[in-house]
């Protein structure tokens, strides 16, 4: 089976992905996306806590909490946190921009997951450092693809 | 003007991070859904949200259709003086929303 | 003994006009939230992050806003926390002016048309959902207490017969799942007892708040039956029976469901 490579741009709304709706959506190779967001570097594993349910009751709304280990000082802080969902029609879900004025590198939100997949969180830290973490989520009712009454 | 809710402590300690929570009413239309007539419902999401503290930006988010409808965001900020938290957001159609919360220093 | 037999026995033992004994409520009475997973339960409890609260927020604004040709709801009803406390818990009820049983949304529509001299907000419109969520919220924590006698008895009887009637291509009656098989699973979903207590509710599947009528129409679709129209007598009658069956159960609108 031919895999589709997606290069979702940071301007998320600008280029709509050509997804096949109403059909089974396979996971995509998000390697190129991660490399692009990490300035071509290979991010280090760890230093990021990702809270996601093991089983998402409904892919339309999956709660997520992200904590990046960082002193958040002027010299050493998190600049950006990216959420990447490999099986979503648009894999780059969101980007959060932080600074030393954040005090804590912790963000919570609710995401859509279009099926069971690995969710990755990429953090950019000051000094051109990158970290990555991932979690597997089982999704029974997929977002984006299942219509409702 | 879009409906939203904001929650932040009324009093914060100087230099100590505190949590700001925001809930925005928005369908975050993906562009993949079809209406009852079979026609595609065009994409329209809240694409940008920013938070300033006493006029200085402390947090911003680039959001896409992968964020759940009626987006919820919780994040942290640190204050060195009392002031106003201002959260503003806009969607693909150019509609905007704004919420404020004032706080004092303990 | 089948359901018809039990109903007959109950009716014989407690013979008389339509009494509480005609209502065979599940035991113990469990709110629908108990059949949802941990994340959904946490979301319903979260007074801030519960997405249904966005409709309550909008409803509060609409309550205070004057209409084009008429007064704001607040002009007559004042502070909703006082004037609307317990109101939603008593619906559906017979309305003397309208001459029929209406649910909360129907009552709000009638009031808007009569007192604010405008076209009633459309069924399932953002406006009606917001007002309904706001008013229902004022009854949160209060037990459901509807009247099924007097002018409401005909609708109650109709609702009860619908609840026990097999419908649709799947030929299923509400009682088969919600009286006899609650707690079990159907296509991976846990079956609730079918109570109206937490409605209107935010359904993750809908990505929006929706009314109890919308949920019941979805049930009709679930058994592949023709969906009754919004505001139809049958839907309101069913809502009344469900409320009577859930009497004493404290509601927590706006609820959250998957």
């Amino acid at each position: 089976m031919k895999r589709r490579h997606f290069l979702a741009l940071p301007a998320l709304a600008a280029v709509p992905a050509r997804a096949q709706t109403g059909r089974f959506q396979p996971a995509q190779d998000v390697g190129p996306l991660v490399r692009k967001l990490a300035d071509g570097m290979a991010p280090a594993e760890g230093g990021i806590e990702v809270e996601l349910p093991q089983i998402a009751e409904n892919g339309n709304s999956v709660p997520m909490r992200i904590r990046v280990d960082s002193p958040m000082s002027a010299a050493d802080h998190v600049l950006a946190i990216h959420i990447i969902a490999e099986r979503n029609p648009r894999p780059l879900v969101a980007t959060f921009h932080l600074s030393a004025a954040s005090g804590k590198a912790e963000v919570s939100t609710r995401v859509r997951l279009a099926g069971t997949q690995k969710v990755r969180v990429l953090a950019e830290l000051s000094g051109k450092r990158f970290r990555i973490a991932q979690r597997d989520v089982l999704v029974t009712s997929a977002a984006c693809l299942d219509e409702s009454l | 003007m879009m409906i939203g809710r904001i929650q932040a402590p009324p009093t914060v300690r100087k230099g100590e991070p505190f949590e700001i929570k925001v809930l925005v009413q928005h369908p975050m239309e993906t562009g993949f859904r079809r209406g009852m007539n079979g026609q595609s419902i065009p994409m329209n999401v809240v694409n940008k949200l920013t938070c300033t503290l006493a006029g200085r930006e402390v947090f911003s988010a680039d959001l896409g259709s992968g964020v759940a409808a009626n987006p919820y965001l919780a994040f942290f900020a640190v204050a060195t003086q009392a002031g106003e938290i201002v959260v503003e957001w806009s969607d693909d159609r150019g509609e905007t929303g704004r919420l404020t919360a004032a706080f004092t220093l303990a | 003994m089948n359901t018809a037999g039990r109903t007959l026995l109950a009716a014989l033992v407690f013979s008389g006009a339509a009494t509480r004994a005609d209502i065979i409520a599940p035991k113990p009475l469990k709110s629908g939230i108990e059949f949802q997973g941990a994340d959904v339960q946490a979301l319903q409890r979260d007074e801030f992050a519960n997405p249904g609260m966005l409709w309550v927020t909008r409803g509060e604004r609409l309550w205070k806003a004057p209409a084009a040709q008429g007064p704001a709801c607040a002009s007559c009803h004042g502070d909703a926390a006082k004037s609307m406390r317990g109101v939603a818990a008593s619906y559906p009820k017979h309305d003397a002016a309208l001459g029929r049983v209406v649910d909360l949304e129907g009552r709000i529509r009638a009031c808007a048309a009569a007192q604010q001299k405008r076209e009633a907000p459309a069924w399932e419109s953002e406006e009606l959902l917001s007002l309904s969520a706001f008013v229902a919220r004022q009854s949160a924590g209060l037990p459901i207490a509807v009247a099924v006698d007097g002018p409401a008895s005909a609708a109650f009887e109709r609702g009860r017969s619908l609840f026990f009637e097999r419908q649709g291509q799947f030929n299923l009656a509400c009682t088969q799942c919600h009286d006899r098989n609650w707690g079990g699973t159907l296509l991976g979903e846990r079956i609730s007892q079918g109570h109206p207590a937490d409605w209107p509710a935010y359904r993750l599947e809908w990505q929006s708040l929706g009314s109890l009528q919308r949920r019941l129409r979805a049930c009709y679709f679930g058994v592949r039956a023709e969906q009754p129209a919004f505001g139809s007598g049958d839907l309101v009658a069913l809502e009344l029976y469900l409320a009577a069956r859930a009497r004493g159960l404290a509601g927590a609108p706006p609820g959250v469901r998957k």
Side-chain angles (χ1 to χ4, degrees):
Chain A
M1 193 199 294
K2 192 170 140 197
R3 275 182 171 189
R4 267 184 276 133
H5 293 266
F6 272 91
L7 263 180
L9 306 170
L12 295 156
V15 182
R18 284 170 56 238
Q20 293 182 307
T21 57
R23 296 225 238 142
F24 174 78
Q25 175 107 349
Q28 295 140 118
D29 178 12
V30 292
L33 171 61
V34 171
R35 266 192 297 283
K36 186 179 159 65
L37 292 169
D39 252 358
M41 296 186 235
E45 291 262 352
I48 307 175
E49 228 179 280
V50 178
E51 268 178 43
L52 268 170
Q54 276 195 307
I55 304 175
E57 298 190 61
N58 191 296
N60 277 326
S61 181
V62 186
M64 194 169 176
R65 185 177 276 267
I66 300 162
R67 254 179 235 105
V68 183
D69 203 358
S70 165
M72 295 307 278
S73 65
D76 182 7
H77 55 269
V78 175
L79 286 167
I81 298 173
H82 307 277
I83 299 175
I84 297 154
E86 64 181 7
R87 215 168 141 191
N88 279 14
R90 299 183 184 108
L92 183 55
V93 170
T95 296
F96 306 114
H97 301 282
L98 284 71
S99 67
S102 301
K104 230 193 201 185
E106 185 173 326
V107 183
S108 303
T109 187
R110 295 195 278 252
V111 299
R112 286 182 172 134
L113 294 180
T116 294
Q117 61 186 288
K118 214 180 260 319
V119 176
R120 290 172 178 79
V121 175
L122 175 72
E124 180 181 349
L125 296 93
S126 54
K128 284 267 177 240
R129 292 168 293 150
F130 295 91
R131 295 210 215 122
I132 194 163
Q134 52 208 31
R135 288 287 296 273
D136 286 300
V137 184
L138 215 139
V139 181
T140 50
S141 203
C144 311
L145 308 175
D146 292 339
E147 296 283 346
S148 66
L149 290 159
Chain B
M1 271 294 253
M2 288 189 237
I3 293 265
R5 285 158 69 81
I6 185 168
Q7 190 178 85
T11 311
V12 306
R13 268 194 225 279
K14 185 171 171 173
E16 209 173 85
F18 60 94
E19 195 173 27
I20 299 168
K21 298 184 185 179
V22 176
L23 185 65
V24 172
Q25 189 174 49
H26 199 282
M28 299 297 276
E29 206 56 72
T30 62
F32 300 131
R33 292 203 314 150
R34 289 182 183 278
M36 292 305 276
N37 55 8
Q39 294 210 299
S40 257
I41 303 169
M43 176 170 171
N44 181 31
V45 301
V46 170
N47 53 59
K48 187 86 185 173
L49 181 140
T50 55
C51 176
T52 59
L53 221 68
R56 181 170 157 234
E57 187 174 299
V58 295
F59 174 84
S60 79
D62 299 321
L63 307 172
S65 57
V67 173
N70 302 298
Y72 168 77
L73 284 173
F75 49 92
F76 284 78
V78 157
T80 47
Q81 60 185 92
E84 197 181 47
I85 302 165
V86 178
V87 176
E88 290 178 295
W89 63 89
S90 56
D91 72 9
D92 292 337
R93 286 210 210 126
E95 307 245 2
T96 59
R98 189 175 197 271
L99 287 167
T100 61
F103 65 92
T104 55
L105 287 183
Chain C
M1 188 189 296
N2 67 10
T3 312
R6 272 198 293 241
T7 315
L8 185 60
L9 180 65
L12 285 172
V13 171
F14 302 99
S15 58
T19 61
R20 295 296 183 224
D22 294 289
I23 306 158
I24 303 162
K27 278 187 176 56
L29 220 52
K30 280 173 177 278
S31 164
I33 195 60
E34 296 193 47
F35 299 90
Q36 298 287 311
D39 285 332
V40 170
Q41 290 184 345
L43 196 53
Q44 177 167 305
R45 274 196 310 265
D46 191 331
E47 266 214 48
F48 176 79
N50 177 336
M53 290 303 293
L54 287 165
W55 279 260
V56 174
T57 298
R58 187 186 288 276
E60 190 171 359
R61 286 202 199 169
L62 290 169
W63 181 265
K64 295 177 188 156
Q69 323 279 358
C73 313
S75 299
C76 298
H77 296 288
D79 179 9
K82 294 196 188 81
S83 65
M84 294 292 117
R85 185 178 154 77
V87 167
S90 67
Y91 273 82
K93 73 157 63 140
H94 183 264
D95 188 286
L98 296 168
R100 63 177 191 278
V101 172
V102 283
D103 62 8
L104 185 66
E105 285 85 4
R107 184 70 189 85
I108 293 170
R109 293 187 82 236
C111 215
Q115 309 302 333
Q116 292 182 316
K117 316 262 183 286
R118 61 182 177 111
E119 207 179 309
W123 293 104
E124 219 62 19
S125 60
E126 280 297 285
E127 189 191 346
L128 187 60
L129 287 172
S130 303
L131 284 168
S132 164
F134 176 63
V135 173
R137 181 77 182 160
Q138 311 312 316
S139 285
L142 298 175
I144 293 181
V146 295
V148 299
D149 50 7
S153 63
F156 168 73
E157 291 298 337
R158 177 68 184 144
R160 182 158 60 108
S161 77
L162 283 169
F163 190 82
F164 287 95
E165 184 182 302
R166 286 178 181 269
Q167 317 222 33
Q169 292 178 320
F170 289 178
N171 208 31
L172 286 169
C174 316
T175 180
Q176 290 174 279
C177 285
H178 298 292
D179 277 334
R180 293 198 240 159
N181 286 291
W182 58 263
T185 50
L186 179 68
L187 298 176
E189 305 274 336
R190 287 196 70 204
I191 302 169
S192 75
Q193 293 181 351
H195 296 307
D198 292 346
W199 289 82
Y202 187 89
R203 218 175 168 214
L204 298 185
E205 193 187 304
W206 294 338
Q207 302 188 78
S208 171
L209 184 94
S211 66
L212 179 60
Q213 287 197 24
R214 180 176 177 182
R215 185 61 189 90
L216 293 177
R217 278 165 51 94
C219 277
Y220 272 86
F221 179 82
V223 298
R224 301 301 182 271
E226 208 176 299
Q227 296 171 299
F230 278 106
S232 65
D234 274 2
L235 274 182
V236 178
L238 190 52
E239 283 184 278
L240 179 58
Y241 178 73
L242 292 176
R245 179 172 167 270
R247 75 189 183 284
L249 190 61
V256 180
R257 298 288 186 271
K258 63 180 284 196

